[in-house]
């Protein structure tokens, strides 16, 4: 089983008509990752705290439909976090957030993960907003110590980070517990480092997403691989980076030796499909052979 920890929120996605209208869509980096894993056919559990309000019920219904195990989900009466993406002409998104007093930031460290857990993924807002951020950090350290494969996606949202230097320092303290650090070029620029720096600090592998230019990986064992981007007609890039997380976890957490070239190519195809749809709508496993042609996809 793959466990995904972190926030579930509602993206208020801009739509063309009527002008200025916002469409509520399930979202949050960890939520999207768990949803994508379920759709790809992985055994996956979501570990979070979700509101009992109507948005919270909608979020959980989406995960149930994808076959995601919800036994690790905590519930609370506080409201659901809201995110408002603004879309650039190329479909890339920037975000504003409404997080004050919301349910997901009150996440508490679970006593244990299921006995069959073999991988843990964490990232995005859940690693910033206290007190939940400290609980997720403790979960990362504990489960890495137990030998789980761990994936960390910082997925930097500058609007949420009050003290950038303190966050960068905290980020570096996580790296000895990270099997796969996945981040975008924008994340890397904001963090102010290079893959070789993060490998030296403890990460076992660093995957860098480069939008239309594809994905690269460098490992502490000296491997380097690249997968080209897949050309598709882009609706927006919301959830594309989360789909990369899911595809990598799906390929890397199984038995047998790691095939980085195949894992990166699989992730590039999956993320490209997500880019063809408004909002975070990752593909099902059967769709990965049917990527349509069009302008180049860009994903985080």
């Amino acid at each position: 089983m793959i466990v995904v920890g972190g926030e579930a929120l509602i993206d208020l996605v801009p739509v063309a008509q009527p002008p200025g209208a916002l469409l509520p869509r399930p979202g949050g980096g960890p939520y999207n990752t768990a949803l994508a894993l379920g759709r790809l056919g992985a055994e996956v559990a979501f570990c979070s705290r979700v509101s009992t309000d109507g948005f919270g019920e909608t979020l959980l219904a989406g995960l149930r439909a994808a076959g995601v195990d919800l036994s690790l989900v905590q519930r609370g009466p506080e409201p659901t976090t809201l995110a408002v993406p603004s879309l650039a002409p190329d479909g890339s998104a920037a975000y504003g957030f409404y997080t004050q007093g919301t349910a997901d930031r009150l996440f508490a460290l679970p006593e244990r993960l299921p006995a069959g857990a073999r991988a843990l993924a964490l990232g995005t807002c859940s690693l910033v907003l206290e007190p939940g951020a400290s609980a997720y950090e403790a979960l990362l350290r504990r489960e890495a110590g137990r030998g789980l494969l761990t994936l960390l996606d910082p997925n930097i949202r500058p609007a949420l980070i009050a003290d950038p230097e303190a966050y960068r320092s905290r980020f570096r303290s996580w790296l000895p517990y990270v099997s796969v650090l996945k981040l975008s070029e924008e994340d890397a620029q904001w963090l102010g480092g290079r893959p070789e720096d993060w490998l030296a600090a403890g990460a076992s592998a660093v995957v860098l997403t480069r939008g239309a230019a594809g994905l690269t990986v460098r490992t502490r064992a000296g491997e380097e691989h690249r997968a080209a981007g897949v050309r598709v007609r882009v609706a927006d890039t919301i959830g594309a980076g989360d789909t990369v997380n899911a595809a990598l976890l799906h390929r890397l957490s199984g038995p047998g030796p790691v095939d980085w070239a195949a894992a990166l190519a699989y992730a590039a195809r999956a993320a490209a499909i997500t880019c063809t749809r408004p909002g975070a709508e990752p593909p099902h496993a059967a769709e990965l052979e049917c990527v349509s042609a069009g302008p180049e996809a860009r994903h985080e």
Side-chain angles (χ1 to χ4, degrees), residues 175-287:
L175 295 179
Y177 306 94
V178 174
S179 307
V180 180
L181 172 65
K182 175 263 170 184
L183 68 174
S184 68
E185 288 184 303
E186 293 80 6
D187 292 335
Q189 182 177 15
W190 190 93
L191 288 164
R194 302 169 299 167
E196 52 265 40
D197 300 328
W198 300 316
L199 292 170
S204 297
V206 177
V207 174
L208 192 64
T209 62
R210 302 177 180 274
L215 303 88
T216 62
V217 64
R218 293 184 63 178
T219 75
R220 269 197 291 166
E223 288 188 77
E224 294 188 34
H225 299 278
R226 178 184 182 276
V230 178
R231 295 176 64 87
V232 293
R233 189 172 303 281
V234 176
D236 63 48
T237 65
I238 298 172
D242 310 321
T243 303
V244 169
N245 295 340
L248 291 175
L249 284 164
H250 192 35
R251 285 300 180 96
L252 299 177
S253 61
V258 171
D259 185 340
W260 273 109
L264 292 181
Y266 181 72
R269 294 197 305 273
I273 294 173
T274 301
C275 289
T276 67
R277 303 163 174 169
E281 285 292 342
H284 294 80
E287 297 177 87

Side-chain angles (χ1 to χ4, degrees), residues 147-183:
L148 268 67
L149 183 151
T150 56
L151 181 145
L152 176 66
D153 177 11
N155 205 6
I156 300 298
R157 303 302 186 212
L160 292 176
I161 300 174
D163 187 337
E165 284 309 311
Y167 179 87
R168 292 181 181 111
S169 177
R170 193 173 188 181
F171 161 77
R172 290 189 292 272
S173 77
W174 297 329
L175 295 179
Y177 306 94
V178 174
S179 307
V180 180
L181 172 65
K182 175 263 170 184
L183 68 174

Side-chain angles (χ1 to χ4, degrees), residues 15-197:
V15 294
Q17 294 294 332
L22 299 172
L23 176 66
R25 300 289 294 268
Y31 177 92
N32 295 336
T33 298
L35 182 73
L37 277 162
R39 290 185 176 183
L40 292 175
E43 184 183 6
V44 55
F46 189 53
C47 183
S48 185
R49 190 170 188 275
V50 176
S51 176
T52 55
D53 65 13
F55 283 145
E57 294 300 327
T58 297
L59 288 162
L60 294 187
L63 293 176
R64 286 192 194 96
V68 178
D69 184 328
L70 302 180
S71 61
L72 293 171
V73 173
Q74 305 161 22
R75 305 298 302 274
E78 302 81 11
T80 297
T81 294
L82 303 178
V84 183
S86 56
L87 302 179
D90 65 354
S92 61
Y95 294 83
F97 294 91
Y98 296 85
T99 63
Q100 189 64 38
T102 52
D104 53 348
R105 64 188 302 169
L106 299 179
F107 171 79
L109 177 67
E111 288 188 12
R112 65 184 64 85
L113 297 186
R118 64 182 188 272
L120 171 68
L122 297 171
T124 318
C125 309
S126 57
L127 295 173
V128 177
L129 300 173
E130 295 288 7
S134 291
Y136 285 114
E137 179 178 329
L139 182 63
L140 171 66
R141 294 172 186 267
R142 186 183 77 189
E143 300 305 323
R146 293 181 53 237
L148 268 67
L149 183 151
T150 56
L151 181 145
L152 176 66
D153 177 11
N155 205 6
I156 300 298
R157 303 302 186 212
L160 292 176
I161 300 174
D163 187 337
E165 284 309 311
Y167 179 87
R168 292 181 181 111
S169 177
R170 193 173 188 181
F171 161 77
R172 290 189 292 272
S173 77
W174 297 329
L175 295 179
Y177 306 94
V178 174
S179 307
V180 180
L181 172 65
K182 175 263 170 184
L183 68 174
S184 68
E185 288 184 303
E186 293 80 6
D187 292 335
Q189 182 177 15
W190 190 93
L191 288 164
R194 302 169 299 167
E196 52 265 40
D197 300 328

